[in-house]
Amino acid sequence: MTQMNETTADAQHPRYAQHPDHATDRDRAHVAPAPGTSPAAAAHQEPGPAAPGGSVTLEYDYVVVGGGTAGSVIASRLTEDPDVTVAVIEGGPSDVDRPDVLTLRRWMGLLGGELDYDYPTTEQPRGNSHIRHSRARVLGGCSSHNTLIAFKPLPSDWDEWSRAGADGWHAAAMEPYFDRLLNHIVPVAEQDRNAIARDFVDAARAALGVPRVEGFNRKPFHEGAGFFDLAYHPEDNKRSSASVAYLHPVMDRRPNLRILLETWAYRLELEGTRARGVHVRAQDGTRSLVRARREVLVCAGAVDTPRLLLHSGIGPRGALEALGIPVAHDLPGVGENLLDHPESVIVWETDGPIPENSAMDSDAGLFVRRDPESPGPDLMFHFYQIPFTDNPERLGYERPAHGVSLTPNIPKPRSRGRLYLTSPDPEVKPALDFRYFTDQDDYDGRTLVDGIKLAREIAATQPLAGWLKREVCPGPEVTSDEALSSYARSVAHTVYHPAGTCKMGAADDETAVVGPDLKVRGLDGIRIADASVFPTMPAVNPMIGVLMVGEKAAELLGGENR
């Protein structure tokens, strides 16, 4: 994206005939696309001269802050009505014509690069303090940046939300939203099923007695091994991200949709208790107020949504006052309840190179239910067809030339963290304190120990055993629970699933930030729709859950405001 560029000739929209000042503001601030220029190409034009004083005001029916996973869904659905105008504020560039983004198997090359906000983690006394949390700075958000593993949340996940105060979000009510998704969700294609991944699935079944799963979204499951469902196009390994599925098909055809790229939202505009819009800054420094006639939808993700609220004076009074931020609305839950799916890693060297065919190098996995009373799986593994040694190398382990990894993952972590500001300057990144492995009974730590033990059982079982030369890390000499726990926690990493920082809850829950209608408690004209509203963590990868939140949010808006 370039600064404050748009993807439609929106001055031609009938709304602007009623509000000529909007067209004037647009023409002052931006260069109109040249005749015959597609909106996608227009997104790369340079902006025109700024308005006097370096600021402008724009106005739309809805302002969507964040063109990511949920924001793409909401913008697309709202603009199905040609009489509704929507502006999307996206901090990164477009993903159009970018093979580095659109090619799924290139996802690792995006981590830590120019399209990554790359948030550090605070000191973790019982975990790894070196974890970097990738958050995508590109249209489509993390669905343009991740592996696109596509699990419909389990019925037990939704029902847990309902019990936590998210009335109307139970499994039966949420099921229809999955069927509405526009993403191309399919099991890993046959040509992408690497031979060693196939043998991992067979070894897991033999070692642990779990069933083979073909299509994890076909029916609810408690355990099983198999190839994942992915949101991709197997014929060319291209993503079916939120932007590809929801925005690319309509960007050239909807004059009521405007996407402001490379545009940073730094403060909400409040009039009393009503949100009127958002203050944004373009890449060239131009500042604008983008106003919403109806509502502001904050979809910036579990890090940047609470960050924006806090810098707007919405959050815990004491924390805001300590930084000198004027308190607009005392809301204690903003930034609390920080969730994640932490996981550790066990690595083996293989007897030479493994076949190169793959969808994204982590195409298969395993779910286990250790506790028969658990409503869903309580241990998960991703099988990586690469030696994933980034964190073990800090402890002195060496990366083998050829290898594979299993990553024991905690589907239902009990530790809870928090996000908070360290400066009133919106340019300063917030602090992310996940408080990994701090739950009272050490359930999270014990889960990783169990995972390493089960991983070793699988590795010792044919046909996977025939591929493996030696265990690299933690190494076969590490056997006690205490030693395994110390290793597992010190090399733990994230699968980039932060959530929960503006959680949804009942009216009497003082820690809830939004109600079941996604409206921010105590404010008008503003809702939140992204992973930050998760009351608890789904047992599976959360991307599909975020898409479904977007679909439900669009329906809520349509029902109330049209």
Side-chain angles (χ1 to χ4, degrees), residues 273-493:
T273 60
R274 185 167 188 87
R276 293 294 186 185
V278 62
H279 293 269
V280 303
R281 187 192 68 251
Q283 192 178 38
D284 66 352
T286 301
R287 294 177 185 268
S288 303
L289 170 60
V290 186
R291 291 178 63 90
R293 296 186 197 91
R294 297 185 181 180
E295 293 195 41
V296 176
L297 293 313
V298 185
C299 308
V303 174
D304 283 309
T305 285
R307 178 186 189 178
L308 177 61
L309 265 61
L310 291 168
H311 280 295
S312 305
I314 304 169
R317 176 178 295 276
L320 295 173
E321 289 178 340
L323 291 174
I325 298 174
V327 178
H329 181 49
D330 183 13
L331 198 54
V334 176
E336 298 297 326
N337 192 50
L338 177 58
L339 309 170
D340 191 23
H341 276 148
E343 66 179 22
S344 194
V345 66
I346 179 168
V347 180
W348 294 270
E349 182 179 12
T350 55
D351 265 323
I354 61 177
E356 294 186 358
N357 63 306
S358 177
M360 48 77 180
D361 295 314
S362 178
D363 308 311
L366 164 69
F367 288 91
V368 175
R369 182 168 66 165
R370 299 165 299 160
D371 178 1
E373 300 300 316
S374 174
D378 56 19
L379 182 56
M380 180 195 181
F381 299 83
H382 297 80
F383 179 72
Y384 282 88
Q385 294 137 227
I386 55 173
F388 192 41
T389 58
D390 293 20
N391 287 307
E393 285 177 39
R394 286 187 300 97
L395 303 184
Y397 291 99
E398 294 184 2
R399 179 186 178 93
H402 309 288
V404 295
S405 314
L406 267 173
T407 55
N409 177 291
I410 310 166
K412 289 291 189 181
R414 296 182 182 176
S415 301
R416 296 289 185 273
R418 63 185 288 256
L419 174 151
Y420 58 94
L421 301 182
T422 61
S423 168
D425 183 354
E427 299 287 338
V428 177
K429 292 180 179 181
L432 276 62
D433 181 6
F434 285 88
R435 298 174 179 164
Y436 291 124
F437 312 110
T438 58
D439 55 301
Q440 191 169 6
D441 61 356
D442 196 31
Y443 169 88
D444 293 355
R446 288 186 290 107
T447 299
L448 295 188
V449 171
D450 289 349
I452 291 178
K453 291 178 179 179
L454 292 179
R456 284 173 167 169
E457 291 183 33
I458 298 168
T461 303
Q462 294 293 353
L464 181 61
W467 291 84
L468 307 182
K469 181 177 180 181
R470 67 184 178 97
E471 181 184 311
V472 176
C473 47
E477 71 282 359
V478 181
T479 57
S480 71
D481 285 3
E482 182 180 0
L484 288 173
S485 176
S486 176
Y487 162 81
R489 289 182 287 105
S490 63
V491 303
H493 58 270

Side-chain angles (χ1 to χ4, degrees), residues 27-48:
D27 293 338
R28 281 205 308 258
H30 310 289
V31 175
T37 302
S38 74
H44 301 283
Q45 292 184 184
E46 290 301 313

Side-chain angles (χ1 to χ4, degrees), residues 108-360:
M108 283 194 183
L110 301 174
L111 303 181
E114 55 143 348
L115 301 181
D116 187 353
Y117 286 116
D118 190 31
Y119 290 107
T121 306
T122 63
E123 185 72 21
Q124 299 294 296
R126 297 202 76 240
N128 178 7
S129 303
H130 302 273
I131 293 174
R132 310 290 300 192
H133 270 266
S134 290
R135 299 286 86 196
R137 195 186 70 84
V138 64
L139 193 65
C142 290
S143 71
S144 290
H145 212 263
N146 63 14
T147 58
L148 291 176
I149 295 172
F151 288 110
K152 177 170 58 175
L154 297 170
S156 55
D157 294 323
W158 295 122
D159 289 342
E160 185 178 52
W161 285 23
S162 181
R163 291 192 301 273
D167 187 42
W169 291 74
H170 55 277
M174 294 305 297
E175 181 67 24
Y177 297 104
F178 179 76
D179 296 329
R180 298 182 194 178
L181 299 183
L182 301 181
N183 310 78
H184 189 247
I185 300 171
V186 293
V188 170
E190 287 297 323
Q191 73 267 19
D192 291 330
R193 297 192 174 199
N194 193 290
I196 195 170
R198 292 178 188 269
D199 286 350
F200 156 73
V201 172
D202 289 341
R205 292 178 60 225
L208 305 182
V210 299
R212 181 192 300 275
V213 177
E214 274 296 340
F216 278 96
N217 291 313
R218 290 180 181 174
K219 62 180 182 180
F221 59 89
H222 294 109
E223 54 189 6
F227 284 87
F228 297 135
D229 285 10
L230 305 179
Y232 85 130
H233 296 278
E235 63 275 11
D236 56 8
N237 195 241
K238 290 298 185 284
R239 292 180 177 273
S240 183
S241 63
S243 52
V244 169
Y246 283 87
L247 295 180
H248 289 197
V250 302
M251 286 162 62
D252 288 356
R253 300 202 301 269
R254 291 186 184 168
N256 55 334
L257 170 64
R258 187 177 188 187
I259 302 175
L260 305 179
L261 302 169
E262 297 278 13
T263 303
W264 178 254
Y266 61 90
R267 181 166 52 85
L268 294 162
E269 173 75 1
L270 299 176
E271 293 179 4
T273 60
R274 185 167 188 87
R276 293 294 186 185
V278 62
H279 293 269
V280 303
R281 187 192 68 251
Q283 192 178 38
D284 66 352
T286 301
R287 294 177 185 268
S288 303
L289 170 60
V290 186
R291 291 178 63 90
R293 296 186 197 91
R294 297 185 181 180
E295 293 195 41
V296 176
L297 293 313
V298 185
C299 308
V303 174
D304 283 309
T305 285
R307 178 186 189 178
L308 177 61
L309 265 61
L310 291 168
H311 280 295
S312 305
I314 304 169
R317 176 178 295 276
L320 295 173
E321 289 178 340
L323 291 174
I325 298 174
V327 178
H329 181 49
D330 183 13
L331 198 54
V334 176
E336 298 297 326
N337 192 50
L338 177 58
L339 309 170
D340 191 23
H341 276 148
E343 66 179 22
S344 194
V345 66
I346 179 168
V347 180
W348 294 270
E349 182 179 12
T350 55
D351 265 323
I354 61 177
E356 294 186 358
N357 63 306
S358 177
M360 48 77 180

